[in-house]
Amino acid sequence: MQVKTPPPHPSPKHRAVLGQLSDMDLRLLQVFKSVVECGGMSAAELELNIGTSTVSRHMKDLETRLGLTLCRRGRAGFALTAEGQRVYDETLRLLSAVDAFRSSIDDIHRRMGGRLEVAVFDKTASNPAAHIGDAIALFASQAPEVSLQMHVASIPAIERGLIDGSFHVGIIPAHRTSQSLVYADLFAETMLLYCGARHPLYGTDHAALTWESLRAYQFAGLGYHSPNMELSHSTRLPRKATGFDQESIATLILSGRYLGFLPDHYAEGFERQGLMQAVLPAQFHYRCQFVSVLRKSPQPPRAAQAFAQCLLEAHG
């Protein structure tokens, strides 16, 4: 009689090694997220307030738990494997869902806790009309148990983050509206056209300049839908260089090769140093209205609604 040899047991790599998620699993994933975002274990040591050896042990525990190699560590530095990148992406989704669950439970108990993710368009802190700091102080007194996480991002990144739940409150220049979002006016800023000290227009008489004559010069503009892009299209200014935040536009202007629009409060320091100059500000300017933004559905957590109300009160 022939005896059949039983099939070999599948290797751990081919088995579903992760059963039910425990609190320890979530802790390991939090460590993994910090390591990735800090760019390595040594850098994550300060963020996590634990030693590098402990961080390394947690990473090994997670890899064992998942049956995957998540990263490469060596002289070339820290780098995610392809599997590690997928696990990182799923980790972000999982931890976001966990935070949303906690916020919902807090809502049921009519209390505010957990984390609040607020995203702001860049270079607003120097705007005297932007009382975001006042709103934060007011909110902190109302919700001391909420951990506030502040981000600076582009308009599209903030809008995407609000829709997918990565951000709870956004503060952006008003440009176009989405049916998925709710907007409220906050403050405004004045955008002026600037040239750098090495630009042909610097220190010259600008009185004869028109929108049409400006087309003879190269223009630096933002590379996504925004009031900046809308103006450059309507005036047909030739965008020869592209930036994705105000800092990059300022750097392009400082090269002396490009004209570009900047908030007057941000450019003021460069002007005082003689590094750039506003070009006929009475004519070449536009006003930019900032708004607070919340997701329409599902309803934002109570902390997000409270923070949005604090923004309105600070700018009332």
Side-chain angles (χ1 to χ4, degrees), residues 170-182:
I171 301 170
I172 61 173
H175 59 125
R176 59 186 177 188
T177 58
S178 167
Q179 293 183 347
S180 301
L181 301 172
V182 180

Side-chain angles (χ1 to χ4, degrees), residues 218-269:
Q218 298 187 86
F219 177 72
L222 292 175
Y224 49 80
H225 194 279
S226 60
N228 180 284
M229 180 177 281
E230 288 175 356
L231 181 81
S232 65
H233 284 177
S234 65
T235 56
R236 291 186 291 147
L237 293 177
R239 178 157 57 93
K240 297 297 184 181
T242 300
F244 292 89
D245 52 36
Q246 305 288 26
E247 186 83 11
S248 58
I249 297 297
T251 303
L252 290 164
I253 294 170
L254 291 170
S255 75
R257 302 285 300 189
Y258 307 97
L259 300 175
F261 283 94
L262 290 173
D264 58 354
H265 56 85
Y266 172 53
E268 183 180 358

Side-chain angles (χ1 to χ4, degrees), residues 36-91:
V36 174
E37 294 176 353
C38 291
M41 297 185 193
S42 298
E45 178 181 10
L46 294 176
E47 172 72 17
L48 296 167
N49 196 29
I50 56 178
T52 303
S53 60
T54 304
V55 176
S56 178
R57 188 174 68 251
H58 286 335
M59 287 292 293
K60 289 178 181 177
D61 289 346
L62 181 61
E63 289 180 325
T64 300
R65 186 89 168 96
L66 297 176
L68 296 168
T69 300
L70 301 177
C71 58
R72 306 290 182 193
R73 306 175 281 275
R75 291 182 179 178
F78 174 87
L80 283 177
T81 62
E83 293 85 357
Q85 182 62 55
R86 288 190 61 185
V87 171
Y88 174 67
D89 294 339
E90 294 302 327
T91 296

Side-chain angles (χ1 to χ4, degrees), residues 92-314:
L92 294 182
R93 278 189 277 272
L94 172 62
L95 295 179
S96 177
V98 170
D99 284 340
F101 175 79
R102 287 172 177 157
S103 295
S104 296
I105 297 302
D106 285 337
D107 281 352
I108 294 171
H109 287 285
R110 306 301 296 171
R111 66 174 181 241
M112 288 186 284
R115 295 196 311 181
L116 180 66
E117 308 286 347
V118 178
V120 186
F121 187 64
D122 71 319
K123 301 298 177 287
T124 57
S126 57
N127 187 347
H131 302 300
I132 300 174
D134 295 335
I136 292 172
L138 182 60
F139 176 76
S141 66
Q142 295 178 4
E145 295 184 9
V146 174
S147 174
L148 189 59
Q149 312 286 313
M150 295 292 295
H151 307 264
V152 175
S154 67
I155 299 173
I158 293 174
E159 290 172 328
R160 286 195 303 269
L162 289 166
I163 291 171
D164 68 23
S166 302
F167 300 141
H168 300 126
V169 183
I171 301 170
I172 61 173
H175 59 125
R176 59 186 177 188
T177 58
S178 167
Q179 293 183 347
S180 301
L181 301 172
V182 180
Y183 306 85
D185 286 344
L186 294 179
F187 59 91
E189 68 183 8
T190 300
M191 304 289 293
L192 301 181
L193 184 68
Y194 291 91
C195 63
R198 290 178 285 182
H199 194 276
L201 288 178
Y202 188 87
T204 64
D205 184 4
H206 302 154
L209 286 174
T210 64
W211 287 106
E212 184 176 358
S213 63
L214 281 182
R215 296 173 199 149
Y217 302 95
Q218 298 187 86
F219 177 72
L222 292 175
Y224 49 80
H225 194 279
S226 60
N228 180 284
M229 180 177 281
E230 288 175 356
L231 181 81
S232 65
H233 284 177
S234 65
T235 56
R236 291 186 291 147
L237 293 177
R239 178 157 57 93
K240 297 297 184 181
T242 300
F244 292 89
D245 52 36
Q246 305 288 26
E247 186 83 11
S248 58
I249 297 297
T251 303
L252 290 164
I253 294 170
L254 291 170
S255 75
R257 302 285 300 189
Y258 307 97
L259 300 175
F261 283 94
L262 290 173
D264 58 354
H265 56 85
Y266 172 53
E268 183 180 358
F270 296 116
E271 285 191 284
R272 284 200 305 266
Q273 298 176 65
L275 298 176
M276 65 175 64
Q277 176 187 28
V279 179
L280 198 61
Q283 181 169 342
F284 303 126
H285 68 272
Y286 66 93
R287 194 124 171 105
C288 189
Q289 178 67 40
F290 275 72
V291 294
S292 65
V293 194
L294 294 173
R295 183 173 63 183
K296 185 176 293 184
S297 180
Q299 189 178 47
R302 287 185 64 237
Q305 297 177 55
F307 188 86
Q309 183 59 39
C310 289
L311 285 170
L312 291 176
E313 292 180 19

